[in-house]
Every structure is written in C-alpha cells, then in structure tokens.
Amino acid sequence: MTAQTDTAGTATTVTTVYKVSGMSCGHCEGSVSSEISGIAGVASVQAVASSGEVTVVSAAPLDEGAVRAAVDEAGFELVGKA
C-alpha cells in the first residue's frame, strides 16, 4: 500500500494491490473492477487477469472485508494483498 500526500503532508490517495484468483479474461477484469468500484471512497480500479493483480486507488485505506465481499460478489476469490 502506498499513499500520495499533498503539500501539507496530508494523505490524498492510497494505492493498494490485491491478488485475486480465478480471473482469466477481460470480462473477469470488468466484473471485479465493477464490484470494487462500488465501495465508498474508491477512485479507480485496474484488474489484470494475466497477473491476478487488482490495483485500487482510494481516498483512504479500504476495509479488506469489503474488498473480499466485492470480489466474492463478482465470482472470484480475494487471496490477499500483493
């Protein structure tokens, strides 16, 4: 997890990379991205099926349970943080 800060040293965004198992195509990437995008505070999501990595940029650290639930809703399994 990395944090971006503004000139006052206040965190403005947090980038976290998660490992997700079961993604094999662009449709899978879209499903996972769509579900995670629905979590409050998420600014962007990039899922890559070939590596199984999902990069999430958010306003604050996300609750891993919420990310796990979103990935589960998409039909995949959250392995954990990469």
Side-chain angles (χ1 to χ4, degrees):
M1 181 171 54
T2 59
Q4 298 281 329
T5 57
D6 63 16
T7 56
T10 305
T12 55
T13 61
V14 176
T15 302
T16 309
V17 180
Y18 297 95
K19 289 293 279 184
V20 174
S21 68
M23 294 189 301
S24 61
C25 64
H27 182 265
C28 299
E29 294 169 346
S31 295
V32 170
S33 295
S34 177
E35 290 296 334
I36 294 175
S37 291
I39 299 171
V42 171
S44 69
V45 180
Q46 180 182 1
V48 180
S50 61
S51 66
E53 292 187 344
V54 180
T55 303
V56 181
V57 178
S58 56
L62 298 175
D63 174 64
E64 191 166 320
V67 177
R68 186 173 304 282
V71 171
D72 185 61
E73 183 66 28
F76 302 95
E77 180 184 353
L78 178 67
V79 176
K81 292 181 182 173

